[in-house]
Amino acid sequence: MDEDGNTSIFNISYTNFLLVGFPRLQECRSLLVLPFTLLYVTIISTNALVIHTVVAQRNLHQPMYVLIALLLAVNICAATAVMPKMLEGFVHYANPISLHGCLTQMFFIYFTLLLDYNLLLAMALDRYVAICHPLRYTDLMTSHLLCLLAFFALTRSLGVAVPLVVLTAQAQFCRTAVIQHFTCEYIALLSIACGDLTFNNQLGLAMRLVTVTFDLVLLGASYTRIIYAAFRISSGGARAKALHTCGSHLLVILTIYLSGLSTSIVFRVAKTVSQDVQNLLSATYLLLPGALNPLIYGVRTREIRQHIEKMLCGKESP
């Protein structure tokens, strides 16, 4: 017996697990297959439609639309990292997964999540240059700069996701082989690990706080300057267009950050909340941006909306 009262032997660690998402809904889990399958198909199809529109229309080959397409491509990857295994769990009570499979899934969850954050920063920079320095926009927002921004986003995402996965891989999972979650999230894996996990918990929390705080400060400062500059535009039409575009970006930012914040608060503070509620918030956190982002950009961005309507209906919106 260890000092924490656990009877598990630390040199024995599970390498195969069972994912049990929504444990109190197991009797009606088959009823969840259809709505979540439709959600997955909707996420893939709507994101792919907007991406195809941006790629197919040459007049949309501009930095803002390219960044939107990249963000939506990340949405597809994020949903694909979660949904197939989640749907499998609705079909089978016990959803087996290996340690390597679990770590791979965890990597893609956090890698795509961080890519979302970094692309939002790149989009804020694009709007800052477009509205605050419009005469220099074409000189500054070049394809070379877009490649640098993409490289920065990939590097920064890897720099956070890889240490989390490596640190988790070194843990001993001796408490149980059952993960009370539909996916291999960092906190879900740590909940079945044994030994001293103080460093793991502190590192995970510190990385999240530093990343989110840093990004929110930059986003807040950028959009404050952008909105201030937009209100100073003399042309009413140009001012309305600038504010409308920024409004779309701000809606996406609020969707991503508020859903993540609510999940973190529940995990860290509300210990009395049931596992099903925690898992439902995680599902919202992981899937809601992928469902809403293509609707926000496809409906609110006039240039994209016009091409989609022309492609689907043979007509353009005014």
Side-chain angles (χ1 to χ4, degrees):
M1 182 177 292
D2 64 19
E3 61 182 4
D4 294 325
N6 298 320
T7 57
S8 300
I9 301 174
F10 285 173
N11 60 3
I12 297 178
S13 182
Y14 292 106
T15 56
N16 292 284
F17 307 101
L18 296 176
L19 292 171
V20 181
F22 307 102
R24 295 184 181 180
L25 300 178
Q26 289 303 319
E27 293 182 356
C28 58
R29 64 185 184 277
S30 59
L31 300 177
L32 299 175
V33 175
L34 181 59
F36 276 93
T37 299
L38 290 176
L39 175 62
Y40 183 43
V41 171
T42 300
I43 290 174
I44 298 297
S45 58
T46 53
N47 282 278
L49 177 61
V50 178
I51 293 171
H52 171 73
T53 302
V54 172
V55 172
Q57 302 299 326
R58 293 186 61 84
N59 64 325
L60 297 181
H61 293 180
Q62 301 174 32
M64 183 182 79
Y65 304 113
V66 172
L67 290 171
I68 289 174
L70 289 175
L71 182 69
L72 300 188
V74 172
N75 291 164
I76 293 176
C77 295
T80 302
V82 174
M83 289 296 290
K85 203 64 181 173
M86 184 180 183
L87 292 172
E88 185 180 342
F90 291 146
V91 176
H92 307 289
Y93 174 78
N95 190 9
I97 188 170
S98 66
L99 176 59
H100 289 143
C102 214
L103 293 174
T104 300
Q105 186 184 53
M106 189 180 81
F107 167 77
F108 280 106
I109 287 173
Y110 289 101
F111 178 66
T112 53
L113 177 64
L114 291 159
L115 271 180
D116 271 347
Y117 293 165
N118 293 323
L119 287 173
L120 291 176
L121 287 176
M123 294 166 81
L125 174 63
D126 171 75
R127 289 301 85 199
Y128 174 80
V129 176
I131 295 174
C132 298
H133 305 282
L135 298 179
R136 302 183 60 195
Y137 180 77
T138 55
D139 295 329
L140 293 175
M141 293 302 298
T142 61
S143 57
H144 178 67
L145 179 59
L146 280 179
C147 290
L148 288 178
L149 291 174
F151 178 76
F152 168 77
L154 290 171
T155 304
R156 186 168 179 251
S157 301
L158 288 172
V160 177
V162 170
L164 284 179
V165 173
V166 171
L167 193 63
T168 305
Q170 295 174 351
Q172 297 291 309
F173 303 101
C174 4
R175 296 185 187 277
T176 177
V178 178
I179 301 175
Q180 298 286 329
H181 209 289
F182 59 85
T183 190
C184 293
E185 279 199 338
Y186 183 68
I187 297 177
L189 273 173
L190 288 188
S191 68
I192 65 169
C194 49
D196 186 4
L197 301 173
T198 304
F199 180 72
N200 301 64
N201 286 318
Q202 290 179 347
L203 179 65
L205 182 60
M207 281 188 168
R208 190 155 194 169
L209 287 176
V210 170
T211 301
V212 172
T213 303
F214 177 77
D215 289 0
L216 285 178
V217 169
L218 284 181
L219 289 171
S222 299
Y223 280 102
T224 299
R225 291 288 304 275
I226 290 169
I227 293 172
Y228 175 75
F231 276 111
R232 298 182 62 187
I233 297 176
S234 57
S235 171
R239 180 171 60 250
K241 182 179 179 180
L243 291 173
H244 184 81
T245 302
C246 290
S248 298
H249 293 325
L250 289 173
L251 281 175
V252 171
I253 291 170
L254 288 174
T255 299
I256 292 175
Y257 280 95
L258 287 181
S259 58
L261 180 62
S262 63
T263 304
S264 297
I265 291 174
V266 169
F267 276 138
R268 301 286 179 180
V269 179
K271 301 297 184 181
T272 59
V273 175
S274 71
Q275 189 64 48
D276 287 337
V277 173
Q278 292 185 25
N279 290 353
L280 179 60
L281 287 173
S282 291
T284 302
Y285 173 43
L286 295 171
L287 302 175
L288 185 63
L292 291 184
N293 289 352
L295 299 179
I296 293 172
Y297 287 122
V299 173
R300 289 180 56 87
T301 306
R302 183 172 61 88
E303 293 80 3
I304 294 177
R305 185 181 70 248
Q306 286 179 338
H307 287 296
I308 291 177
E309 291 186 350
K310 184 178 180 180
M311 181 172 54
L312 296 179
C313 308
K315 64 177 182 179
E316 296 186 25
S317 63

